[in-house]
Amino acid sequence: MRDAAELIGKAVTNKQITRSQGAALLRHRRHHTEGHLLLMLRVMHDKHMSFKDAHEYAMKHVGR
């Protein structure tokens, strides 16, 4: 399975999320689990959520 950094990079390359969102997710990764990041990535792309909204959603559903 791919790690979160690779999936984030691929999402930026495929223009599924913006470059700034990708950079923010990579910085965010120091403080949160891979499951939290992957859920954030999914809802940012699928539901067009902002970084802040995706973070709040992931905190509610996955936790840290």
Side-chain angles (χ1 to χ4, degrees):
M1 187 168 161
R2 297 179 177 163
D3 69 331
E6 187 178 341
L7 291 172
I8 291 167
K10 190 171 181 120
V12 170
T13 301
N14 292 337
K15 298 187 190 266
Q16 295 170 335
I17 61 173
T18 65
R19 182 174 275 171
S20 63
Q21 286 175 324
L25 278 171
L26 291 175
R27 282 192 312 273
H28 194 65
R29 156 178 130 148
R30 279 180 270 177
H31 306 288
H32 296 281
T33 63
E34 191 160 321
H36 175 95
L37 291 173
L38 293 176
L39 181 59
M40 280 187 70
L41 179 62
R42 193 173 84 219
V43 298
M44 286 168 74
H45 174 255
D46 293 346
K47 297 184 179 189
H48 305 286
M49 284 189 183
S50 67
F51 183 89
K52 180 183 177 211
D53 292 340
H55 173 72
E56 290 172 1
Y57 183 87
M59 285 299 288
K60 188 182 291 185
H61 289 84
V62 175
R64 211 158 160 78

